[in-house]
Amino acid sequence: MNFRTLGAATLAVFLAVMTQRPALAAGDEVVIGDLDDMSGVYADVMGAGGIESIKMAIADFGGTVLGKKITLLTADHQNKPDIGASKFREWADQNGLNMLLGGSNTGVNIAMEKVGAVKKVPLFHIGPGGASLTNEDCTAYSIHYVYDTTSLANGTATAIVNSGAKTWFYLTADYAFGTQLQSAASKVVEAHGGKNVGAVRVPLGTADFSSFLLQAQGSGAQVLGLANAGTDFSNSLKAANEFGVTKTMKPAALLAFISDIHSLGLKTAQGLYLTTAWYWDLNPETRAFAKRYFAKMNREPTMDQAGAYSATLTYLKAVKAVGTTDSDKVMAELKKMKISDMFTRSGYIRADGAMIHDMYVMQVKSPQESKYSWDYYKLVKTMNGEEAFGPITGLCPLAPKK
Amino acid sequence: MSEIFGIPVAVILGQLTLGLVNGSFYALLSLGLAVIFGLMGVVNFAHGAFYTLGAFAALLGLQYFGINYWAALLLAPLAVGIVGIIVERLFLRHLYRLDPLYGLLLTFGLALIVEGSLHQVFGASGESYPVPDSLAGVLNLHFMFLPLYRAWVIVASVVVCFGTWFVIERTSLGATLRAATENAPLLQAFGVNVPILKAATYGGGVALAALAGVLASPVVLVNSHMGTSLVIVVFAVVVIGGMGSILGAIVTGLALGVIEGFTKVIYPEASNIVVFIIMALVLMIRPAGLFGKE
């Protein structure tokens, strides 16, 4: 290539990049972004259903805020931290992004959070579990909305240890979320007088869990702690049934969604303890939302999809209250306001970014107990927000320990 | 209980058995790939999608038409095989004169379309296919309890694999097929309809993938991306065994299942990359693969 063609090529690329920039007069619309797993193992947990519930929230809010149109950008991060971070940066730089939500993958969310802090764009974590997002990885612009590993472990592990099953073996998804979930559960188990016998770290997206289940069975533990999620969770529980592991060990779902239970069927999942932030059949408000959602998606919403609806509304309410999309002012308002909608009746966002709200310990019904379609859970215990999410640890510089 | 390298013998035997189950799937899938590559020179990236289609055919057949597992074992590969023949007649046959890369791109695109459509219609979390009642029990092997169904998978796939090998390497039909790759015009001059032979080969190869899909459906959740990750491992198996070598595909498939099983005990975190490490080593030492001809 000679210098002239090199120059021409550079110019062409430059022009292409320049013309791609949208003609955006800053601030003539309010831009919300949803970056999530749209095609992988977590796609049914948020995915297309999450987009739908965000759209419902925007429509319910009236489609505009402060006289500006609300627009929604969506993209698939494919569970890759680099894609999540670069897309977030692109939207912030080129599309005038005002708020981002989604994630569903602790690894990706940690990467996105760093971008949010630099670009000063509020990030509502929907779906990632890792409690580090409000501890050592916390930033001034992030809010952990639906659940975290601490609250999941506090719910399920406490209920099972108190029922008398004291020794635990873990099947752990081998990335940030799985290891954090395992360590959170281990702490709860020990705190209640139980014992952690062992664990095996399984690569994300493993199809065959039988080897690992044999190891679990060999440990002699009473409880099989499933520190994984989505398809990994379903496949591991299915295999645990097939190998008769569930006859000698009590399975504990440290994170399970209603979509997983639906896939597995009640025959396989019955009796399972799990912790959820939201269930469609809790009260008249949740049922009303679920009914509208079902009409569009032909499925009941997961807690993440309901959470995405609530997070969108909460953000828009905060923007309306302060009369600007200025991130610092909106964040200050978010940490002051009370959150009350069909997702939670008494939620609030703590200084470290954790949204504190009730969590529910559920047990999966048997096929005989289930009276109508999607009638899957019975309520074992309601934990209030403080009990579920525990005290501020002091690991996040924004929230010193009291 | 005696131990080898600090691992109880019962555990080793258990993992060996489970490795054979996974190896059975690898063998069946890589066999289909090897047949298609060996006899047609097509790098069939759509293999995982046909495997997924096989599983979905079984699932939907059961849900909508009440077709039981045993019938699905026959009907699903048949249906998917016909789809394969249509694909060959419509698209693939135009690419034989070109570089194999074009076939790879075409099949890769097909795989994305099939998997994307299934994802669109059925979502990501998938559905359970029940284990047939007659195979629902558990075998006591003394060192472990093996679900009867998994034992059946090993038997079925070994029979199908060696049956296919026998047909291609030891019968006159197989000789005709191999002749079609060696010198198609000459074979045509003998009055053999080579284009139909090629279409049937592709149909047969993808039917093997669909059969693997039906066999897998009671073991894993049937969902749109069940074939995506598997097909990459299976390509590695074919590369290790030697592209186009049928015996190589079968033996390597079973062996890698077992090696992967041991990795799951010794260092579980590496269990999804061990196959690729072996592939890299084999490519360095024997670039044509363990069973390939230099």
Side-chain angles (χ1 to χ4, degrees):
Chain A
M1 192 189 283
N2 63 31
F3 270 106
R4 192 176 295 174
T5 45
L6 182 67
T10 313
L11 187 66
V13 171
F14 177 71
L15 285 174
V17 171
M18 288 306 289
T19 46
Q20 259 182 8
R21 295 180 72 149
L24 186 88
D28 59 359
E29 54 185 6
V30 172
V31 184
I32 293 175
D34 171 26
L35 258 172
D36 222 295
D37 175 9
M38 302 290 175
S39 54
V41 288
Y42 303 139
D44 273 1
V45 172
M46 250 297 266
I51 296 175
E52 190 55 50
S53 53
I54 297 165
K55 283 184 182 160
M56 284 168 71
I58 294 172
D60 288 355
F61 199 77
T64 59
V65 63
L66 311 178
K68 295 172 188 173
K69 189 172 172 289
I70 305 163
T71 54
L72 174 65
L73 302 171
T74 63
D76 184 359
H77 64 43
Q78 299 168 30
N79 289 311
K80 295 184 176 119
D82 53 327
I83 295 184
S86 63
K87 200 76 201 171
F88 187 8
R89 196 173 289 121
E90 180 192 318
W91 284 350
D93 287 344
Q94 299 184 11
N95 300 74
L97 185 73
N98 296 107
M99 181 271 263
L100 186 82
L101 45 68
S104 295
N105 179 316
T106 303
V108 179
N109 281 69
I110 290 174
M112 297 201 300
E113 190 165 63
K114 309 243 157 41
V115 179
V118 173
K119 300 292 175 190
K120 299 194 173 181
V121 175
L123 167 56
F124 284 74
H125 299 288
I126 312 287
S132 71
L133 291 166
T134 55
N135 287 295
E136 57 270 33
D137 292 320
C138 82
T139 78
Y141 298 94
S142 71
I143 291 159
H144 203 170
Y145 206 80
V146 182
Y147 56 82
D148 65 10
T149 45
T150 309
S151 56
L152 294 169
N154 278 338
T156 308
T158 308
I160 293 179
V161 176
N162 287 345
S163 80
K166 301 276 186 198
T167 52
W168 286 58
F169 186 95
Y170 301 90
L171 279 195
T172 305
D174 188 21
Y175 73 109
F177 158 72
T179 49
Q180 289 189 29
L181 190 51
Q182 185 200 323
S183 80
S186 304
K187 279 182 203 147
V188 173
V189 168
E190 275 172 14
H192 289 79
K195 197 166 165 259
N196 300 297
V197 178
V200 55
R201 288 190 180 187
V202 183
L204 181 66
T206 295
D208 179 61
F209 283 85
S210 43
S211 285
F212 308 118
L213 287 165
L214 234 54
Q215 296 176 42
Q217 206 164 25
S219 73
Q222 295 164 305
V223 183
L224 176 69
L226 299 171
N228 52 16
T231 319
D232 281 351
F233 160 74
S234 305
N235 274 330
S236 51
L237 186 62
K238 195 170 151 76
N241 263 288
E242 203 193 339
F243 278 83
V245 176
T246 46
K247 289 201 184 81
T248 52
M249 296 174 87
K250 194 179 231 183
L254 292 169
L255 175 55
F257 297 94
I258 195 154
S259 51
D260 302 324
I261 306 304
H262 186 70
S263 291
L264 284 166
L266 292 182
K267 202 171 155 233
T268 307
Q270 60 182 307
L272 189 71
Y273 284 100
L274 56 89
T275 301
T276 187
W278 187 86
Y279 175 50
W280 72 271
D281 206 6
L282 273 179
N283 57 48
E285 290 86 44
T286 59
R287 280 188 284 272
F289 173 77
K291 198 174 170 192
R292 288 202 294 145
Y293 179 94
F294 196 93
K296 293 203 167 85
M297 300 304 292
N298 205 28
R299 302 174 73 86
E300 294 299 350
T302 62
M303 58 170 152
D304 285 7
Q305 287 152 348
Y309 173 88
S310 171
T312 309
L313 275 188
T314 299
Y315 172 78
L316 292 172
K317 282 176 190 164
V319 168
K320 196 176 171 190
V322 291
T324 170
T325 52
D326 178 89
S327 296
D328 292 315
K329 288 183 181 143
V330 173
M331 285 304 299
E333 173 65 21
L334 283 167
K335 288 186 178 175
K336 234 164 46 196
M337 65 196 276
K338 282 269 164 246
I339 299 167
S340 180
D341 56 19
M342 64 87 201
F343 181 72
T344 173
R345 282 176 179 162
S346 55
Y348 62 93
I349 297 163
R350 211 159 60 177
D352 59 3
M355 206 273 262
I356 308 300
H357 56 271
D358 290 357
M359 295 285 286
Y360 308 93
V361 182
M362 300 283 192
Q363 191 176 20
V364 177
K365 290 185 172 177
S366 69
Q368 294 78 35
E369 290 170 305
S370 175
K371 298 288 178 249
Y372 37 90
S373 63
W374 295 85
D375 177 21
Y376 292 161
Y377 296 167
K378 55 188 172 204
L379 183 63
V380 175
K381 186 188 172 196
T382 304
M383 292 188 292
N384 68 36
E386 288 72 20
E387 183 190 354
F389 290 87
I392 285 179
T393 58
L395 287 170
C396 171
L398 298 167
K401 200 170 180 175
K402 280 167 199 160
Chain B
M1 173 70 71
S2 52
E3 292 187 350
I4 299 173
F5 299 123
I7 303 166
V9 171
V11 172
I12 292 183
L13 287 173
Q15 298 301 339
L16 185 77
T17 317
L18 293 175
L20 276 178
V21 178
N22 282 328
S24 301
F25 287 115
Y26 293 159
L28 258 185
L29 283 165
S30 53
L31 172 68
L33 272 184
V35 167
I36 293 172
F37 182 78
L39 301 177
M40 303 172 69
V42 171
V43 181
N44 186 33
F45 247 89
H47 216 64
F50 283 115
Y51 161 83
T52 312
L53 270 184
F56 268 97
L59 180 74
L60 298 178
L62 181 74
Q63 286 179 347
Y64 291 99
F65 305 107
I67 297 172
N68 72 21
Y69 172 80
W70 302 103
L73 219 43
L74 197 69
L75 292 177
L78 197 69
V80 174
I82 291 170
V83 173
I85 289 175
I86 295 170
V87 166
E88 198 275 346
R89 287 285 85 192
L90 282 179
F91 307 111
L92 263 181
R93 71 186 172 104
H94 302 295
L95 304 177
Y96 292 147
R97 285 169 288 107
L98 303 172
D99 192 275
L101 199 58
Y102 288 86
L104 186 155
L105 288 174
L106 174 85
T107 51
F108 185 59
L110 274 177
L112 292 180
I113 293 170
V114 170
E115 280 160 6
S117 312
L118 289 172
H119 179 93
Q120 189 67 27
V121 179
F122 299 101
S125 45
E127 292 190 47
S128 293
Y129 188 96
V131 175
D133 291 338
S134 47
L135 295 174
V138 175
L139 277 180
N140 187 353
L141 300 178
H142 298 291
F143 55 87
M144 73 177 292
F145 290 97
L146 181 69
L148 199 55
Y149 187 81
R150 307 244 171 176
W152 153 250
V153 167
I154 301 179
V155 174
S157 91
V158 167
V159 168
V160 171
C161 283
F162 284 97
T164 310
W165 171 81
F166 185 81
V167 167
I168 290 174
E169 300 288 342
R170 293 285 184 272
T171 65
S172 63
L173 173 68
T176 318
L177 282 171
R178 280 176 289 133
T181 18
E182 290 288 323
N183 195 333
L186 187 65
L187 190 66
Q188 202 137 20
F190 280 111
V192 176
N193 191 335
V194 172
I196 287 195
L197 210 57
K198 286 203 163 178
T201 306
Y202 190 73
V206 303
L208 283 173
L211 179 69
V214 182
L215 281 175
S217 56
V219 177
V220 294
L221 279 183
V222 178
N223 62 34
S224 55
H225 50 86
M226 63 189 282
T228 320
S229 50
L230 195 59
V231 75
I232 299 171
V233 177
V234 170
F235 263 102
V237 171
V238 175
V239 170
I240 296 167
M243 281 304 272
S245 164
I246 288 169
L247 195 63
I250 300 170
V251 174
T252 325
L254 291 170
L256 284 176
V258 171
I259 292 173
E260 205 185 52
F262 282 124
T263 316
K264 284 175 176 172
V265 188
I266 297 159
Y267 188 64
E269 289 90 335
S271 60
N272 59 344
I273 52 166
V274 63
V275 171
F276 302 104
I277 294 172
I278 295 172
M279 181 180 83
L281 290 175
V282 168
L283 284 177
M284 280 194 292
I285 299 159
R286 268 186 76 95
L290 296 177
F291 293 79
K293 299 180 188 81
E294 296 281 346

